[in-house]
Amino acid sequence: MNRWTFLLVFIALISVFFSVSLGREVSVTDALQVLWYHASFGLGSPPDPIVDRIVWNLRFPRTLLAFIVGGGLAMIGAAMQTLVRNPLAEPYILGISGGATAGASLFYLGFLPPLFSKALSMPLAAFLGGLCAIIIVYSVAGSRGRISVSRLLLAGVAIASLMGALTSFITLSSPEPDRLRSVLFWLLGSFHLAQWSTLVWPTIAVSIGLVVLMILSRPLDGMLTGDESAHSLGVAVESMKRILIVLASLVTGSIVAASGAIGFVGLIVPHAVRSFTGVTHRKVIPASFIGGAVFMLWADVAARMILPNAQLPVGIVTALCGVPFFLILLHKKQHHFG
């Protein structure tokens, strides 16, 4: 772990504390008391029950979910950019988020029967939706064993639009119209429904993704040199592509099921991280994870505080940051990793 990653970890810890502390009804001292009381397993004076409920049962799960979602989206964005060797790729643009949203919407609104418990069925539906979307995109972009980056991006945009239309149709056809507003708010990305129980599957999926990507960091470095060069270095390129596709679908699907579709995090963060860590994935993956978590935490803080008596969906905040960044990348004559 280099000095930049240590710095990001320090910033992340500060960001977590401020995310829990900022807001009405609770002071910084109150937040510190609650966090210390639970972290020390009940040592010290117990906090006020109302303050304890606000901090520990409402704000802290929301903060942890934002941390997990931001980190997961950023590290998967880095992996997708390596897969196509272009910094413009990310789950949202490649249609994975759109497919996961469509799958989750089918279950969320009662169009799919629960195969297991609700907590497991919804991430499963989102995973299958994202997997179907990226398989279609990857199949369209491939030609004679090679991937055309321009076709990949165009196919991703097309599939994302198709999945968005499908999600809108599913939403408007819902047999429970009273849930329409809450579903629309969820589709734009939000952490306001975060609970301790909703953290389980995103945490498991993102942890698996982080471990696998760190194990595969050397093959990922080889893939940056191109398929033929990677083959000569002993990298099983086609197997790596399949692993990355399934892993991206798993992580993105679990994230979408918990927080809705949040775009551009996987685009902004890995590109920014490479500017000071270089292109080695042993450094890029953990730095992207922590950087994405920090970015999402402050995006959520902004979403909570921009409007005085309401909360914005966090997807609006990330889009306001991500779209200008994306346009700047498109305006450049060359897109490369370092």
Side-chain angles (χ1 to χ4, degrees), residues 129-198:
L131 184 62
C132 290
I134 190 59
I135 287 175
I136 294 172
V137 170
Y138 202 80
S139 300
V140 171
S143 177
R144 298 178 181 177
R146 297 180 179 273
I147 297 296
S148 168
V149 173
S150 59
R151 277 196 293 181
L152 188 79
L153 295 175
L154 290 172
V157 170
I159 293 298
S161 299
L162 175 63
M163 292 299 173
L166 179 60
T167 301
S168 299
F169 176 76
I170 294 168
T171 303
L172 294 174
S173 304
S174 171
E176 300 181 44
D178 293 339
R179 300 181 67 182
L180 183 60
R181 188 177 186 278
S182 63
V183 171
L184 290 176
F185 196 86
W186 169 76
L187 289 175
L188 292 172
S190 175
F191 305 120
H192 75 289
L193 296 178
Q195 301 174 1
W196 287 108
S197 59
T198 61

Side-chain angles (χ1 to χ4, degrees), residues 5 7 45 50 62 80 83 90 93 95 100 106 118 127 138 152 166 181 194 205 236 240 263 272 293 315 319 323 330:
T5 308
L7 178 61
S45 59
I50 296 177
R62 177 174 182 148
M80 290 294 95
L83 177 66
E90 64 120 6
I93 294 172
L106 280 169
K118 181 179 179 180
F127 162 67
Y138 202 80
L152 188 79
L166 179 60
R181 188 177 186 278
M240 281 289 297
V323 170
L330 284 177

Side-chain angles (χ1 to χ4, degrees), residues 108-285:
Y108 191 84
L109 295 170
F111 290 96
L112 292 177
L115 299 177
F116 308 99
S117 65
K118 181 179 179 180
L120 179 58
S121 296
M122 191 166 173
L124 178 61
F127 162 67
L128 293 176
L131 184 62
C132 290
I134 190 59
I135 287 175
I136 294 172
V137 170
Y138 202 80
S139 300
V140 171
S143 177
R144 298 178 181 177
R146 297 180 179 273
I147 297 296
S148 168
V149 173
S150 59
R151 277 196 293 181
L152 188 79
L153 295 175
L154 290 172
V157 170
I159 293 298
S161 299
L162 175 63
M163 292 299 173
L166 179 60
T167 301
S168 299
F169 176 76
I170 294 168
T171 303
L172 294 174
S173 304
S174 171
E176 300 181 44
D178 293 339
R179 300 181 67 182
L180 183 60
R181 188 177 186 278
S182 63
V183 171
L184 290 176
F185 196 86
W186 169 76
L187 289 175
L188 292 172
S190 175
F191 305 120
H192 75 289
L193 296 178
Q195 301 174 1
W196 287 108
S197 59
T198 61
L199 294 173
V200 176
W201 294 111
T203 302
I204 293 174
V206 171
S207 299
I208 291 172
L210 181 59
V211 171
V212 171
L213 290 177
M214 288 302 296
I215 292 173
L216 298 177
S217 59
R218 293 180 70 89
L220 286 170
D221 291 343
M223 290 183 67
L224 287 177
T225 63
D227 290 355
E228 294 181 1
S229 298
H231 272 301
S232 66
L233 293 172
V235 178
V237 175
E238 295 305 317
S239 297
M240 281 289 297
K241 290 178 180 178
R242 296 188 189 98
I243 291 172
L244 292 178
I245 288 173
V246 173
L247 192 66
S249 302
L250 172 65
V251 174
T252 306
S254 299
I255 286 173
V256 167
S259 63
I262 301 173
F264 295 103
V265 180
L267 172 67
I268 297 173
V269 176
H271 191 74
V273 162
R274 289 189 186 95
S275 65
F276 57 82
T277 64
V279 299
T280 305
H281 285 86
R282 184 174 55 85
K283 299 178 181 178
V284 169
I285 296 299

